[in-house]
Amino acid sequence: MASLMFAAPIFDLREALQRGSFGNLNPVPWAAMTGNCLGWVAYSYYTKDPFVLASNVPGLILSFWLNSGASKLQYYELATSIKASGESTVGNEEVVTMPQESLLLRILVAWGVILVWVGWIQQSYSPALIVGICVNVNLVFFYGAPLEAMWRVIRSQSSDAIHVPTMIMNWINTTFWMAYGFARQDPIIYLPNGIGLVMGILQGILVCLFPRRRRGEDDEDDESNVGLVDEDTRQEQGLVV
């Protein structure tokens, strides 16, 4: 279930890369996904839990591809915008590091510091407890990342900003992990997944209250935000995967 939840955005990202625009995709949860999966892999090591390990290794690998695709798309949109303004991307500091790359690097550095401190420096507390608390904080960010999207839904009166496949898999995944956490009597597992389930249900309520717009309206928005780009330029940027 966890792997299916992590894989939910794959086809939408592929379409976004071919289209040259994010559209309504929100890439922020993908950076949080990397930290989330990395933290759970570390937690599984300290608790000797093969189920937690097996469910998060695929997500960790997939998250790097999602973040890489998001960074490519951010660069493409920025380069297109700069080119449309008549400027050159050469020597432009804005194109050096994309927002998705910066967020991902900060998360990886934070987890690197935590794991080094837990494994080699501190001796007072259980490593599993510290890693578990830290991964719970990260998990709240992962499940809470759509909060901004939920606010956009309320303002726009349209649920386009909510990725429905991810939302549905979130319901299923968190429900199973809550049951597993209760079976193990491990609050490190069932508490954050309970929060994630509540967040998913709130998104579902918004989807019911505010229907999605038609595809044609989305396409018009993409054109107004990104502009018309010829196919040769798109191939030069290497966006098709």
Side-chain angles (χ1 to χ4, degrees):
M1 290 299 108
S3 297
L4 290 176
M5 183 186 72
F6 296 140
I10 288 179
F11 294 108
D12 290 296
L13 178 59
R14 286 176 62 89
E15 290 182 1
L17 287 167
Q18 293 170 342
R19 187 174 63 242
S21 169
F22 276 109
N24 294 307
L25 278 179
N26 178 17
V28 172
W30 302 340
M33 181 196 301
T34 302
N36 174 62
C37 293
L38 180 59
W40 282 117
V41 167
Y43 184 75
S44 70
Y45 169 78
Y46 286 114
T47 58
K48 305 294 189 296
D49 192 325
F51 298 106
V52 174
L53 176 65
S55 62
N56 283 278
V57 168
L60 179 61
I61 297 171
L62 178 60
S63 70
F64 286 110
W65 180 81
L66 292 172
N67 284 289
S68 173
S71 297
K72 285 194 291 184
L73 204 47
Q74 287 175 342
Y75 175 83
Y76 178 76
E77 290 185 339
L78 179 60
T80 302
S81 175
I82 292 174
K83 185 176 180 180
S85 66
E87 300 178 8
S88 173
T89 57
V90 178
N92 192 320
E93 293 186 358
E94 291 183 345
V95 302
V96 175
T97 304
M98 295 298 102
Q100 192 74 13
E101 293 174 322
S102 298
L103 179 58
L104 178 63
L105 287 173
R106 283 195 286 266
I107 290 175
L108 290 176
V109 168
W111 269 110
V113 171
I114 291 170
L115 294 178
V116 169
W117 180 69
V118 168
W120 284 283
I121 299 176
Q122 76 85 31
Q123 302 293 331
S124 303
Y125 302 97
S126 164
L129 176 62
I130 297 174
V131 172
I133 292 174
C134 292
V135 79
N136 271 283
V137 173
N138 193 118
L139 192 60
V140 169
F141 279 106
F142 175 62
Y143 287 135
L147 281 174
E148 190 271 337
M150 293 167 65
W151 176 240
R152 274 193 289 156
V153 168
I154 295 173
R155 286 186 300 174
S156 66
Q157 305 291 292
S158 171
S159 59
D160 290 336
I162 295 177
H163 190 248
V164 176
T166 300
M167 179 193 72
I168 294 174
M169 292 311 305
N170 175 34
W171 295 346
I172 301 172
N173 182 63
T174 52
T175 300
F176 273 97
W177 279 113
M178 281 182 61
Y180 181 71
F182 281 122
R184 285 181 55 95
Q185 298 183 344
D186 189 346
I188 295 294
I189 294 178
Y190 65 71
L191 285 178
N193 281 285
I195 296 174
L197 180 59
V198 171
M199 296 295 299
I201 292 174
L202 290 177
Q203 291 180 60
I205 293 173
L206 289 178
V207 169
C208 294
L209 291 176
F210 305 112
R212 299 173 67 85
R213 291 177 296 181
R214 294 191 302 272
R215 180 69 185 214
E217 296 175 354
D218 293 339
D219 294 340
E220 291 176 4
D221 289 344
D222 291 342
E223 290 180 1
S224 63
N225 291 333
V226 179
L228 296 175
V229 182
D230 58 65
E231 189 65 23
D232 292 336
T233 303
R234 189 170 295 180
Q235 290 177 357
E236 289 174 2
Q237 296 292 341
L239 286 174
V240 179
V241 294

